[in-house]
């Protein structure tokens, strides 16, 4: 029931031999087409790594700073030099408690462990992490997939330190084709939290929604900038396939270091197909770690999957156990902000937003803050939401600017919504104003005045444009008089063109109806 669909070379097995390459150099991924996928289901769990936005690293006083010159934020502690001793970052511990409480976890006494493995970006040749006694346990995150609520279990949230960064210098950036490698230890020792879900996700789409919701929650908590393009949030996905209705777990495959929500969904969709093809053909799957290739949209074997004993965990002898103070935990819990799910509920039930703009706003901290402040300044909620999620989002995306880094303020949004509502500026003119504001940051009314975008409502001026448009467009005028009401829009458009977009469309329509009705 399965057929391989590809121009890539294929050895007849159920494992793609790799992407094909046309003579032109174009990479062609191997794809599979299934005629019957209903008999299988996916079992997916995610391990999400979150770099915390503390001022200093986890166990030393070096700055936690993205983009600094290589190896400039290092010291004997984060380099693992002999005689150096770690000291836990109090702010980082507060942040992991915030995360745990937001995810409904129990906050437990915990112990740091040494996780031993050897790689150039591990200056100590071990990573300080947590093993069987993490800070946060037994939580959950609720997601909404096509209107259906799903409760995804959180096994644990534990604290560790990040590794350094190795850059493989060569044409492909992969280790196998590298000419040499460069190591930057600035990231070594940065506070890192790992959020491990239960294997409760059943599709690539559910995994995408889960990661989006988790990212929004972390951003709202203020514990991380969650910029996946900078590595502040990274994801490893564990996936297996089983017959639908079975309780048995299949052979698990881990896909490492997915650095965007889109990549997560694409990688899981590929793995679903690859594993289903193998099961259908009776080919044994192996437990392994795989890499997702963005260009070919496929995964490839990296290594056999490690087990916990491979890391030789043992308690970190230089750090005492962490024992949470109940009063401090309660204080942190009382300071939690409104979480995305509650925010969505408020937007739809109290402010009248439709589900999609409410979802978009609630998954972006800066967007939600801009929206809430604009509404507090008197902007109509639906109008403000549309401007932020549609026009403004499009302009910022085109310019390659993050909202948090832009010059647009809640006052801009509120003033724009007010002027459009009053009829002072047309919808077309408002888009021009917003584009100017994104670049200049000037006041809305100043931009309207400078660019001459105030709508003309003076009857004498409008009448002249209307009369000219009627005279110059006899065809649409005759169609309208014969009952084709839509033809009026063609004449209205000509009036707007003559006015340079400054005419008030509502006033123009009234004048046109007055001139053409009954004549």
């Amino acid at each position: 029931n399965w057929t391989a669909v590809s121009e890539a070379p294929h050895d007849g097995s159920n494992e793609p031999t790799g992407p094909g390459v046309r003579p032109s150099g174009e990479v062609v991924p191997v794809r599979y087409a299934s005629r019957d996928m209903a008999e299988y289901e996916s079992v997916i769990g995610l391990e999400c790594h979150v770099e915390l936005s503390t001022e200093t690293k986890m166990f030393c006083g070096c700055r936690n700073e993205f983009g600094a010159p290589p190896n400039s934020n290092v010291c004997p502690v984060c380099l693992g030099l002999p005689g150096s001793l770690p000291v836990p970052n109090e702010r980082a511990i507060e942040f992991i408690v915030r995360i745990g409480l937001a995810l409904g976890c129990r906050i437990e006494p915990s112990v740091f462990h040494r996780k031993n493995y050897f790689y150039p970006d591990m200056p100590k040749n071990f990573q300080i992490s947590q093993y069987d006694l993490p800070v946060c346990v037994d939580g959950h995150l609720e997601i909404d997939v096509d209107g259906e609520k799903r409760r995804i279990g959180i096994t644990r949230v534990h604290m560790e330190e990040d590794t350094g960064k190795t850059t493989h210098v060569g044409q492909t950036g992969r280790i196998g084709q590298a000419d040499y490698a460069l190591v930057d230890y600035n990231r070594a020792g940065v506070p890192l939290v790992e959020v491990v879900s239960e294997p409760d996700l059943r599709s690539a789409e559910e995994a995408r929604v889960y990661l989006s919701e988790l990212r929004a929650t972390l951003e709202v908590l203020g514990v991380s900038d969650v910029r996946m393009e900078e590595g502040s949030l990274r994801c490893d996905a564990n996936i297996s396939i089983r017959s639908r209705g079975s309780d048995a777990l299949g052979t698990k495959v881990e896909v490492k270091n997915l650095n965007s929500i889109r990549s997560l969904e694409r990688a899981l969709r590929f793995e679903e197909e690859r594993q289903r093809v193998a099961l259908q053909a009776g080919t044994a799957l192996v437990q392994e770690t795989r890499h997702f290739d963005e260009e070919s949209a496929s995964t490839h074997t990296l290594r056999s999957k490690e087990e916990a004993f491979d890391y030789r965990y043992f308690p970190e002898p230089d750090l005492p156990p962490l024992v949470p103070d109940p009063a401090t935990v309660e204080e942190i819990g009382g300071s939690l902000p409104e979480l995305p799910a509650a925010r969505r509920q408020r937007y739809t039930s109290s402010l009248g937003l439709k589900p999609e703009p409410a979802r978009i706003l609630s998954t972006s901290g800066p967007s939600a803050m801009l929206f809430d402040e604009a509404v507090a300044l008197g902007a109509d909620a639906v109008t403000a939401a549309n401007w932020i999620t549609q026009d403004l989002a499009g302009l910022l995306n085109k310019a390659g600017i993050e909202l948090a880094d832009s010059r647009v303020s809640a006052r801009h949004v509120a003033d724009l919504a007010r002027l459009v509502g009053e009829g002072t500026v047309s919808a077309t003119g408002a888009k021009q104003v917003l584009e100017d504001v994104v670049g200049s940051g000037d006041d809305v009314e100043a931009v309207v005045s400078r660019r001459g975008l105030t709508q003309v409502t003076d009857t004498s001026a409008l009448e002249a444009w209307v009369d000219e448009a009627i005279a110059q467009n006899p065809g649409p005028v005759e169609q309208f008089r014969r009952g084709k009401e839509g033809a009026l829009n063609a004449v209205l458009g000509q009036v707007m063109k003559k006015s340079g977009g400054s005419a008030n469309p509502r006033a123009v329509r009234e004048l046109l109806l007055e001139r053409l009705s009954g004549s």
Side-chain angles (χ1 to χ4, degrees), residues 262-333:
R262 179 172 179 266
S263 295
L264 170 68
E265 185 171 19
R266 294 172 75 209
L268 289 176
R269 288 195 186 283
F270 180 87
E271 273 300 303
E272 285 176 329
E273 287 292 285
R274 186 186 72 84
Q275 294 186 32
R276 281 172 173 147
V277 167
L279 289 180
Q280 187 76 19
T283 303
L285 291 163
V286 296
Q287 183 171 326
E288 61 181 347
T289 299
R290 296 176 71 90
H291 164 77
F292 177 65
D293 184 86
E294 293 280 355
E295 188 174 7
S296 64
S298 59
T299 67
H300 307 279
T301 298
L302 279 177
R303 58 182 179 270
S304 61
K305 174 61 180 171
E306 298 91 343
E307 302 289 352
F309 58 76
D310 292 322
Y311 294 120
R312 294 183 294 120
Y313 282 101
F314 63 86
E316 167 58 66
D318 293 329
L319 290 171
L322 288 177
V323 180
D325 172 48
T328 301
V329 172
E330 184 177 357
E331 182 181 349
I332 293 172

Side-chain angles (χ1 to χ4, degrees), residues 23 64 87 104 161 207 215 322 407 414 447 464 470 489:
N64 176 10
V87 177
E161 59 178 340
R215 182 182 185 276
L322 288 177
R407 301 181 179 183
V447 175
I470 290 174
N489 292 330

Side-chain angles (χ1 to χ4, degrees), residues 438-453:
V438 168
S440 67
D442 292 344
D443 291 342
V444 166
E445 293 187 352
V447 175
V448 171
S449 177
R450 170 161 48 82
R451 301 187 63 166
L453 293 172

Side-chain angles (χ1 to χ4, degrees), residues 217-270:
T217 300
L218 296 167
E219 186 178 44
V220 165
L221 291 172
V223 298
S224 174
D225 60 23
V226 291
R227 293 181 177 176
M228 298 191 74
E229 69 278 7
E230 295 180 0
S232 298
L233 175 61
R234 309 189 292 274
C235 183
D236 299 337
N238 295 286
I239 176 172
S240 63
I241 302 297
R242 67 186 179 191
S243 297
R244 191 171 296 277
S246 172
D247 293 329
L249 295 176
T251 301
K252 179 177 66 174
V253 167
E254 182 180 34
V255 185
K256 292 288 285 185
N257 292 329
L258 297 163
N259 59 6
S260 75
I261 295 173
R262 179 172 179 266
S263 295
L264 170 68
E265 185 171 19
R266 294 172 75 209
L268 289 176
R269 288 195 186 283
F270 180 87

Side-chain angles (χ1 to χ4, degrees), residues 51 57 71 78 117 119-123 161-167 182-190 234:
E51 284 187 353
K57 294 185 181 182
N71 297 306
C78 57
Y117 60 99
Y119 204 70
D121 58 13
M122 293 291 295
E161 59 178 340
D162 211 343
T163 63
K165 181 178 181 180
T166 302
T167 301
L182 298 173
V183 183
D184 179 7
Y185 289 122
N186 280 347
R187 197 176 67 183
V190 166
R234 309 189 292 274

Side-chain angles (χ1 to χ4, degrees), residues 59-109:
F59 298 112
C60 67
C62 291
R63 288 191 59 77
N64 176 10
E65 178 186 14
F66 179 81
N71 297 306
S72 59
N73 292 334
V74 294
C75 73
V77 174
C78 57
L79 290 178
L81 299 184
S84 60
L85 293 173
V87 177
N89 185 325
E90 183 179 4
R91 185 69 164 164
I93 295 169
E94 177 191 333
F95 279 0
I96 193 174
V97 171
R98 286 172 67 83
I99 295 169
L101 292 175
L103 296 176
C105 295
R106 298 195 316 274
I107 309 303
E108 298 282 350

